[in-house]
Amino acid sequence: MKLLCFRMQGLIVPLLIFVLLAQSCKKDSTSTTDSFSNLDRKSILSSIATNVVIPETKAFESSAKSLQTESDSFQSHPTLAGLLSLKSKWKIALLSWRMIEFLELGPMENATSGIIADIDYGYTRPSDLSSLPASNDIETLLSRSALVSSSTLDSFGAKVKGFSAIEYLLFSLTSSDQQVLSSYITGNSAKVRLSYLQALCNQLADRAAIISSGWDPAKGNYTSTFVKADGRDINSSFGKLINALVKENEILKNERTSRSLGKLNSGIHQPEAIENRISAASWESVQASIQGMKNIFEGNISGMPASPGIDDLLNELNSQFEGGQKLSEVTEGQFNLTIAKTQGQSVSMYESAKSNPALIENLYNELKKLLVLIKVDMTSNVGVLLTYTDNDGD
């Protein structure tokens, strides 16, 4: 050691600085690990389940059941008032779904098949949004003479099920409400159309009940499993939640906004890739998706008393952004800025994509900023492994 000091005197100070920095980094890393280990993580997960997930899944179940009940009445006596009520209740159910669509845990574990595909094919195959609703397939189905039952619907492909199929049957870009109503009263396909609508609403209500029951502590009680998995490994609840937030943000940024702007198709604009364009519910639909993410982040539903969420986890870990700002506060602010870009729009998103794409571009830019905060800052500060990756190269 003495020989090293004698021959390398000029490097002694830099070497000491390097060693001290290395020790400091090691200490910070250990401190972060210790901080996470010492947190009451189960309380945060319990709060998210109790104050956000369970109320929202129950709200989805209730709204889907209300749509089903209205469909039953419409089946026996189709009227214009009944059609308008169906459209209203479809929209309420859709927005309830948007709040929870990304929660690929428990009863919604596998988003690429099964229960979620029956509800929302667009979420399982977002790159296919421009082909939804599957009008040709739906019209082929309606041309059949056989009525559609819940059992026969189970054998159909996902493209002709769920919210997009119901939207196609209730709304139109070219026909009036009275003309839509007439399609359920006169013509060769009227009875098939009525049976198909009822089967779709029945299936939606059934799938919503499965999701709600799965989380309900008195029934499936996935909540217990969710709270116990309080680590940050790939199978932990924090790991799954943060990856779900990343995936939802990617889908919103890429498929539900930028594809219409031509960013994923060599500059060719695709207004038809706007989801829920027939019902003109696109802005509200996107807003509900972002609000659902924000609710998980904050651990409470907007307007309800504050309760522990991922933001509190970041605070306990002393997670900071540039300039010493709390990462939780910066992220919450970005959620608010992003949601604001969906509000107060006088023209549908579909029409905006055709005539004023700058409105969608503004939303896209805010979604990009939000994605960095979640995908980079939040993920690294919590220490979870990012397993979801997109393929857009952006």
Side-chain angles (χ1 to χ4, degrees), residues 60-356:
F60 176 47
E61 178 186 22
S62 176
S63 62
K65 180 63 178 176
S66 180
L67 178 64
Q68 179 190 35
T69 301
E70 189 63 47
S71 172
D72 290 343
S73 298
F74 190 76
Q75 167 83 5
S76 58
H77 185 52
T79 64
L80 183 58
L83 175 63
L84 296 178
S85 181
L86 275 169
K87 292 170 71 170
S88 174
K89 292 185 176 183
W90 172 87
K91 184 176 177 181
I92 292 171
L94 172 72
L95 299 184
S96 293
W97 164 248
R98 291 291 180 226
M99 303 284 275
I100 64 168
E101 65 184 353
F102 63 96
L103 294 175
E104 297 177 40
L105 300 91
M108 293 164 59
E109 189 74 40
N110 187 358
T112 60
S113 63
I115 190 169
I116 297 184
D118 286 344
I119 296 170
D120 184 8
Y121 176 83
Y123 183 78
T124 63
R125 296 286 189 275
S127 61
D128 286 352
L129 287 180
S130 59
S131 68
L132 292 178
S135 55
N136 291 337
D137 294 337
I138 292 174
E139 289 297 337
T140 298
L141 190 155
L142 291 173
S143 67
R144 302 175 357 156
S145 58
L147 300 183
V148 180
S149 65
S150 295
S151 58
T152 55
L153 183 63
D154 286 338
S155 67
F156 296 163
K159 272 193 175 185
V160 295
K161 297 179 183 178
F163 278 110
S164 64
I166 300 173
E167 180 181 16
Y168 181 81
L169 294 177
L170 297 180
F171 297 84
S172 175
L173 288 171
T174 57
S175 301
S176 67
D177 288 332
Q178 186 61 56
Q179 290 171 318
V180 172
L181 175 64
S182 296
S183 67
Y184 289 96
I185 299 174
T186 60
N188 296 330
S189 66
K191 289 184 178 180
V192 177
R193 187 179 294 267
L194 277 170
S195 67
Y196 181 31
L197 175 64
Q198 186 176 38
L200 287 168
C201 292
N202 287 344
Q203 186 181 72
L204 185 68
D206 175 75
R207 302 304 187 258
I210 291 173
I211 294 171
S212 179
S213 296
W215 281 93
D216 191 334
K219 297 178 181 177
N221 197 23
Y222 176 72
T223 296
S224 176
T225 303
F226 177 77
V227 173
K228 288 177 183 176
D230 65 337
R232 50 184 170 185
D233 57 89
I234 145 183
N235 292 314
S236 70
S237 295
F238 285 118
K240 289 181 178 180
L241 278 178
I242 292 176
N243 272 278
L245 291 173
V246 170
K247 179 178 179 178
E248 179 78 331
N249 203 152
E250 292 277 17
I251 290 175
L252 284 163
K253 177 181 76 74
N254 296 337
E255 304 299 343
R256 292 174 69 182
T257 54
S258 69
R259 186 171 290 281
S260 69
L261 300 171
K263 295 181 183 295
L264 301 181
N265 192 30
S266 304
I268 301 174
H269 286 227
Q270 292 180 278
E272 68 278 7
I274 295 294
E275 199 167 18
N276 306 130
R277 60 188 180 276
I278 298 178
S279 60
S282 307
W283 287 116
E284 294 166 281
S285 176
V286 170
Q287 180 184 334
S289 295
I290 302 169
Q291 185 64 56
M293 296 169 61
K294 184 172 184 276
N295 290 350
I296 292 293
F297 176 73
E298 296 183 337
N300 62 276
I301 296 174
S302 179
M304 300 300 289
S307 52
I310 296 176
D311 57 342
D312 295 280
L313 177 65
L314 293 174
N315 288 339
E316 291 294 334
L317 292 171
N318 195 30
S319 303
Q320 297 186 346
F321 192 65
E322 299 168 0
Q325 295 175 280
K326 287 184 177 181
L327 178 59
S328 63
E329 294 179 355
V330 174
T331 305
E332 179 184 358
Q334 188 56 42
F335 267 119
N336 293 335
L337 287 171
T338 308
I339 289 172
K341 296 301 180 183
T342 67
Q343 298 172 326
Q345 304 294 349
S346 59
V347 178
S348 73
M349 186 180 282
Y350 177 54
E351 291 301 324
S352 296
K354 294 191 292 183
S355 61
N356 190 8

Side-chain angles (χ1 to χ4, degrees), residues 249 253 321 330-331 334-335 337-338 341 362-377:
N249 203 152
K253 177 181 76 74
F321 192 65
V330 174
T331 305
Q334 188 56 42
F335 267 119
L337 287 171
T338 308
K341 296 301 180 183
N362 292 338
L363 171 60
Y364 168 79
N365 290 333
E366 299 303 333
L367 284 167
K368 282 184 68 175
K369 297 174 188 176
L370 181 62
L371 180 61
V372 172
L373 289 168
I374 296 174
K375 189 174 184 178
V376 179
D377 297 280

